[in-house]
Amino acid sequence: MTTGLIPGEQPSEPRPTGGLPHQRQEPAGHGALHVDNRSRSSVITARAAASFEPVGRSVASARSFVRDTLQGWGFADIVDDAVVLTSELVTNAVVHAGTSADVLCLRADDGVRIEVADHYPEREIPLQGTSVSMGNPDREGGRGLQLCAALAGRWGVEYTPTHKQVWFQLDLPERPVGTRAAGPALPTDLLPIADARVRVAVVQIDRTGAISAWNEDAEELFGYPAEQVTGKPLTDLAAWPHTPGTSTGIAEALQLSRWEGSYGIRGANGRVTPVYASHLRVRDTGGEPSTVCLLVRDHERAVLQTPLRMPSSDAGSGEGQSTDPFEVFIGSPAPDDLDGLLQRTVERARDMLDGDSAFLLLATDDETELEVRASTGLPSARQRFARVPVEAGPGRYGSARMPAVHDDLSVVPGAVPLLSGTGMRSVVTVPLKVEGRLTGSLGVAAEAPGRYSNEEALRLQFAADRIALAVESARLGELERLRRGSLSFLVEASDLLAGTLDRDQTLALMAQMTVPTLATWCAVYTIADQASEPYLSYVLHEDEELIDGIKSLLSKIAPPDPVPTPGARIWSAPAEAAHQAALRTSMRSLGLGEPLPRASSGIGPTLATASAVGGETVVLPLVARNRVIGMLTLGKPTDEHFRQEILELAEDLSRRAALALDNARLYSERTAISQALQRSLLPPELPQIDGVEVEVIYRAAGEGNEVGGDFYDLFPISDGAYGFAIGDVCGTGPNAAAVTGLARHALRLLAREGLSGPAVLERLNSAILDEGARSRFLTLLYGELRPQEDGSAELKVVCAGHPLPLRLRQDGTVEPAAEPQPLLGVMEDLELYEQTVTLDPGDVLLCVTDGVTERREGTRMLGDDGLSDVLTTCTGLTAGAVAARIMRAVERFASDAPSDDMAILAMRVPGLHTD
């Protein structure tokens, strides 16, 4: 056996051989055979041993074993040191080494020796004669040996091929026989000062808080006779409501079973007497409760005050040691982030009260709910961000604003909802308060019942009061960072939503902004009108393979109710439906239900979907213009919850998204109306004319416009005669389109009345002038077309202020086919005339609006000459090919989009041999 020693220490005693049972305690004398060779003269009088499995809860079990053993032996003075050392050494074994731990307690007449062995001997062996560097005391591991050096009288390490054992010995303090506990012997000048006679006021308070008994010392201290104060509330005499530096007031303290603290009593002479009080809650034989209060002057508090139970390592005040109560509890340096601070808090609270678990909840801004932010010993993934109400029920035990101790949760199920199903039986909870405002709640729980009393509640409240301000400061810092991030997120979201008026794209943006930033999955329901049911419009999950499964699941359950109330509300239907579907699928796969269909892919997708939507699901209404237009549903996977700040951010996003979605809806509706009206202004399909090819190309300027100020038409007038027109109303857009509709329909009606071309245009001119202020001048080329038996075509044309039509002959020459005349809509009396043009086989008549000839690139303009040059290259082409070549030439002439409407009408008389 190899032994590692700390320099200057005595060799360690050999470890008793033989296997250790799970737990045993031997009578005095049984250990004598094992101490013959020990280097000390004390005799082992009792032994207790236990083994612990390599699981986290074994640390708490080991602490309880050592504490119960030493208290049973009457060694209460060294219990705290022994528990601290055992906790560190067992943690090293079961957590860091990952092996079981054997704990052996040996009692002697002068102290206690405790041995902790693990099954991981491959550790570094300390070298003799070298100093041992303990490192940072606040790091996660490695504090066991450092604490042994600081607290134990003697200690050492032993190695064998199968074990590593650390032992330490705690010596009993010197004290007179018969005393169970005693304070240190102090010089006379350090003893507390008291009056010649120490007066202890005994005041009894009934269940209503009123004084029912008042002794002579109380009368002497405060000047009130008993009959004057009997029946009055004790709080009426209080000069300040609570102990300075704590959050427990007198009214609250009177409800506790045991309480100590200081407050002020205003005497009969009006002066305030600071007192130290010890409260004990009792009940009489009839079961009526009351509180007995013992009060002394504050400077005489040593008469009543109970010393705080603190580990020796924390109670020291050596040179340079911090005495800040916050650092005593949290450790130094304190974590600089909120999560780290909260996690350190619950771990220290659990260790301080020897608990199996601990938890810390932070209050929402309105102090109506508490949100789980840190826990240890509990399934943290399930509990994190879960919310519980501050006021869970009637009475003080139902409010998180008061300290509470539950001896056995199995007797009162649901008293602490957070611990339901965790196996915890006893729990103590205390509030965190800052300036009288509830900011959180700290709790410690144990698996055994009856573990905690009001003494532990006082210790935990003392710690909570010390950390409350630091926790609130860290929370506000985190909240400020979250709000800055939220502001940036909302600004970016607003820009993205404002950048589109397409409904489907808006739905996609809503989902993509929430997943995975705010939620794991989301679904958007839309409502067309008040009489329509919500419709599932979009589903998104951060894992694309799960989208179809979630969409299928949501389509089978009723959508959430379209409630306009702002804020997020819980929707449990998806999780319940997913759970039931997964259960049915699993049962069928085991042959316990209906057989699976052959096409089924197994239970994988169903179970994956159930896990994806098994967490918390919330619904936020999409309200725009005082109407619910849909719902935004956000979800988490199994056992996860939303934090309050995320829900508030989601609510802000839903308001912006609702307005963007409604704007997209309105835009789509108005676009559909506009397009329907514009299509009504366009002529129907062009008629087929025997012996003549006709092609039209039309382009309206402006996004979303189908009709502008330019227009065209080709319609039958009578047998063998057809009317054609191409015109340009001054301006573009809807106002010009209105005159377009008037002109096109008037031409058809007038031409079919048998009027000549000039008569048709003169009557149209009068109709335009009758529009008054809404009238606009109009350039118009109107003609009548009659195919001839010899294969030619006769045209009668009137050109009222419009670009002249161009005739392309078979030899490639281009010439105007009409003469210019006055435009319409300007003068009342017009004298127009028509010209006759004959198109021979192979000839082309090209009619355009000024949007073609006035196409510009900088200072250059296409013009009539440019159009003629392009037309000369179209010899032998069909009417469709001619129109297409003209349009390509116009588009290529300039790089910018056209700013004016354009219309091209090409008519060609085919020759005997066409290309």
Side-chain angles (χ1 to χ4, degrees), residues 553-814:
L553 175 71
L554 294 178
S555 64
K556 297 176 182 177
I557 62 177
D561 295 331
V563 179
T565 306
R569 68 182 192 274
I570 302 296
W571 187 32
S572 59
E576 294 174 355
H579 175 75
Q580 293 298 326
L583 181 61
R584 289 192 299 269
T585 304
S586 300
M587 293 180 66
R588 287 196 299 265
S589 67
L590 297 174
L592 302 177
E594 298 178 0
L596 285 168
R598 292 183 178 181
S600 175
S601 59
I603 66 175
T606 301
L607 294 179
T609 302
S611 176
V613 302
E616 189 173 59
T617 302
V618 298
V619 177
L620 298 106
L622 298 175
V623 181
R625 297 175 175 90
N626 299 320
R627 187 175 71 88
V628 180
I629 63 171
M631 285 88 70
L632 177 63
T633 302
L634 307 180
K636 287 282 190 179
T638 299
D639 294 338
E640 288 194 19
H641 300 265
F642 288 97
R643 61 185 304 175
Q644 186 65 30
E645 292 82 4
I646 293 297
L647 293 180
E648 293 173 358
L649 179 58
E651 186 177 355
D652 286 339
L653 176 63
S654 68
R655 287 194 290 266
R656 290 164 169 78
L659 188 59
L661 184 61
D662 199 47
N663 287 339
R665 178 187 63 83
L666 293 175
Y667 177 77
S668 299
E669 290 178 357
R670 281 156 177 72
T671 300
I673 294 172
S674 174
Q675 291 174 347
L677 292 176
Q678 290 184 68
R679 282 192 294 269
S680 69
L681 300 178
L682 295 174
E685 294 183 0
L686 298 179
Q688 296 291 331
I689 304 177
D690 294 336
V692 179
E693 298 174 359
V694 179
E695 182 64 27
V696 174
I697 296 179
Y698 184 82
R699 297 284 190 273
E703 183 179 359
N705 290 332
E706 294 189 18
V707 176
D710 292 6
F711 69 96
Y712 68 92
D713 202 358
L714 179 64
F715 55 91
I717 298 176
S718 60
D719 292 340
Y722 297 87
F724 68 90
I726 183 169
D728 184 0
V729 179
C730 174
T732 60
N735 292 330
V739 179
T740 295
L742 171 65
R744 193 177 68 81
H745 290 93
L747 282 175
R748 288 195 172 211
L749 291 173
L750 294 173
R752 287 170 178 172
E753 290 293 326
L755 299 176
S756 65
V760 169
L761 266 61
E762 289 170 1
R763 284 168 173 76
L764 176 60
N765 179 65
S766 300
I768 294 175
L769 292 175
D770 289 342
E771 292 292 311
R774 295 182 299 175
S775 66
R776 291 170 177 261
F777 62 82
L778 168 66
T779 67
L780 179 64
L781 172 65
Y782 174 74
E784 295 181 1
L785 169 66
R786 288 182 173 83
Q788 303 297 312
E789 294 181 356
D790 60 358
S792 63
E794 182 183 82
L795 288 79
K796 294 183 178 180
V797 182
V798 180
C799 186
H802 198 77
L804 300 178
L806 299 179
R807 176 180 181 179
L808 171 65
R809 296 182 179 274
Q810 279 189 321
D811 59 3
T813 59
V814 175

Side-chain angles (χ1 to χ4, degrees), residues 3 20 44 87 101 108-109 191 216 222-223 237 267 295 429 436 452 501 518 536 538 541 645 682 690 734 862 879:
T3 304
L20 292 175
I44 300 299
S87 178
D109 54 359
L191 295 175
E216 294 181 359
F222 309 120
L237 306 181
L295 298 89
T429 61
Y452 302 115
L501 287 172
L518 305 181
L536 181 62
Y538 202 92
H541 191 281
E645 292 82 4
L682 295 174
D690 294 336
L862 180 63

Side-chain angles (χ1 to χ4, degrees), residues 444-499:
V444 178
E447 293 180 344
R451 284 284 300 277
Y452 302 115
S453 65
N454 284 290
E455 179 183 359
E456 283 76 18
L458 287 172
R459 295 176 61 198
L460 191 61
Q461 184 68 71
F462 181 83
D465 291 339
R466 294 302 180 270
I467 67 168
L469 186 58
V471 168
E472 180 66 3
S473 178
R475 187 189 73 86
L476 292 176
E478 181 194 63
L479 187 60
E480 179 62 24
R481 290 190 295 271
L482 285 174
R483 286 176 177 170
R484 290 180 181 178
S486 300
L487 183 60
S488 300
F489 173 79
L490 291 174
V491 169
E492 182 179 358
S494 299
D495 289 342
L496 290 173
L497 291 171

